[in-house]
Amino acid sequence: MPADAVSILKSISSGKEYPLDDVRFASDDGELLDVVHDFEAVKSIHKITKEYFFKKRSLINDQPGGGVWHFKEMVLPEIHADHVVSKQEGNTRLYRSKKISSWLGLKYEKFYLKHEGENPTGSFKDRGMTVAVTMAKYLKQKAVTCASTGNTSASLAAYASEAELTGVVLIPKGNVAVGKISQALAYGTKTLVVNGDFDDCMRLIKEAQEKLSAYPLNSINPFRIEGQKTIIWETLMQMNWKVPDWFVFPGGNLGNTSAFGKALFEAYELGLIDRMPRFAVIQAEGASPFYKAYRNNFSALSPEKADTIATAIKIGDPVNYPKAVRSLKWTNGIVEIVSDGEILEAKAHVDAAGIGAEPASCATVAGIKKLLANGEIKPKETVVGILTGNILKDPQVIVDYHMKNAGPAANPPHDIEANIQSMKLFL
Ligand code: F0G
């Protein structure tokens, strides 16, 4: 690191400190690590204010607006622009939708969907990947790995190719959506299909880090978390730094839950916001260890065998659990569960609004519906839902829903003869 490095690695509760260029993913006592920045040092160089972020131009393409590296001072201040491996990730749309807000029963002006599926490889993972791959390259790592339900592997594959690193991804057999596998194969990473589930893949990745020195790009890598913080800051900037009442998003391995809490904590510390919004983390009923821990006042996490149609969040033993608990405490947050049927119904509405997202993302919208029905979210409140992945990631779920007439919003295709009379019936 340069002599003027202002960030360190720090274990989340015992407070053990390590230099930023120490290649490690846990403290000596086995705790997760945070990247901790010395914001006083950063502020002596740049004025970290709302106006500063409004006015500045991006490090990557010299355009105004957002993106991960727009917030470089709060993500990785000491890295020189020449080292950054970027595909201009971020700068995603903040949609409003008359159809979805009226289906939910929220005010149109107060309901937003931040579409992270509109990143370069079609998911929010690119935000963390640009930072973690930049560090992998900076730290002279040769091989990068991940366990994945699909999106991390797609993102790793694209960034490893750009950075000319060897990429090896582990995916659970039979449980990854076709769009995501296609990307890993197409971008040229080594794709290993593991006879086991995501949690088995994750265990293998930790072992490979210890025994084979393979650099992991899962969210146990604290630099992934730094990049994903920018989802929150960019949303706030798009809302003129007005804090919504709620951020609602899906929880799987709980990287986003961890990153979003850290983003808000830091924004509050820096005076960019003057109050904390609340979090609602949504899990699938069949993959809900975080929900069960929440119901036990976080006395313990019991890993479980996960099962849901939303394969992206089919995770039974989330590695970021302690950081996620911290985020919920900071934000007076809640955890809710939704059934696969509720996910599919919400997805039909998100898709039919012309926005579209993959099943795990639509758990967000199903969760908002449920939280409005049980009174946790009030119809007058401002709600931001995060859509985490693109509609085209999982075409099989869409085709099955519509072609098999699987729900009330099904829109099956019709076979017709090649004449105008047959066509006329539909106009
Ligand atoms: N939504 C999508 C589309 C995802 O791909 C994931 C995680 C999540 C939500 C959950 O986010 O782990 O931060 O709580 N996908 C990982 C993967 C596990 O391998 O692609 P989280």
Side-chain angles (χ1 to χ4, degrees), residues 124-125 148-152 251-256 312-313 315 358 360 388:
F124 70 90
K125 304 288 178 179
S148 183
T149 57
N151 281 324
T152 308
N253 222 6
L254 304 177
N256 271 339
I313 50 173
I315 296 172
E358 68 163 286
T388 45

Side-chain angles (χ1 to χ4, degrees), residues 212-225:
L212 309 174
S213 297
Y215 190 80
L217 292 175
N218 281 104
S219 48
I220 46 163
N221 184 318
F223 299 105
R224 274 272 313 273
I225 302 293

Side-chain angles (χ1 to χ4, degrees), residues 156-157 166-170 184-185 188-192:
L156 179 150
T166 300
V168 175
V169 303
L170 303 188
L185 302 176
T189 191
K190 286 269 171 295
T191 304
L192 311 186

Side-chain angles (χ1 to χ4, degrees), residues 257-316:
T257 312
S258 308
F260 295 178
K262 189 169 189 280
L264 287 162
F265 185 84
E266 291 175 354
Y268 188 83
E269 292 264 284
L270 285 162
L272 292 167
I273 56 172
D274 54 13
R275 71 180 180 99
M276 293 292 258
R278 294 186 70 190
F279 280 179
V281 180
I282 313 299
Q283 293 210 292
E285 217 164 66
S288 53
F290 192 47
Y291 171 75
K292 287 169 193 137
Y294 163 75
R295 299 289 301 210
N296 287 325
N297 286 322
F298 296 122
S299 56
L301 176 82
S302 306
E304 64 184 41
K305 195 97 201 132
D307 191 24
T308 167
I309 196 163
T311 50
I313 50 173
K314 192 170 168 183
I315 296 172

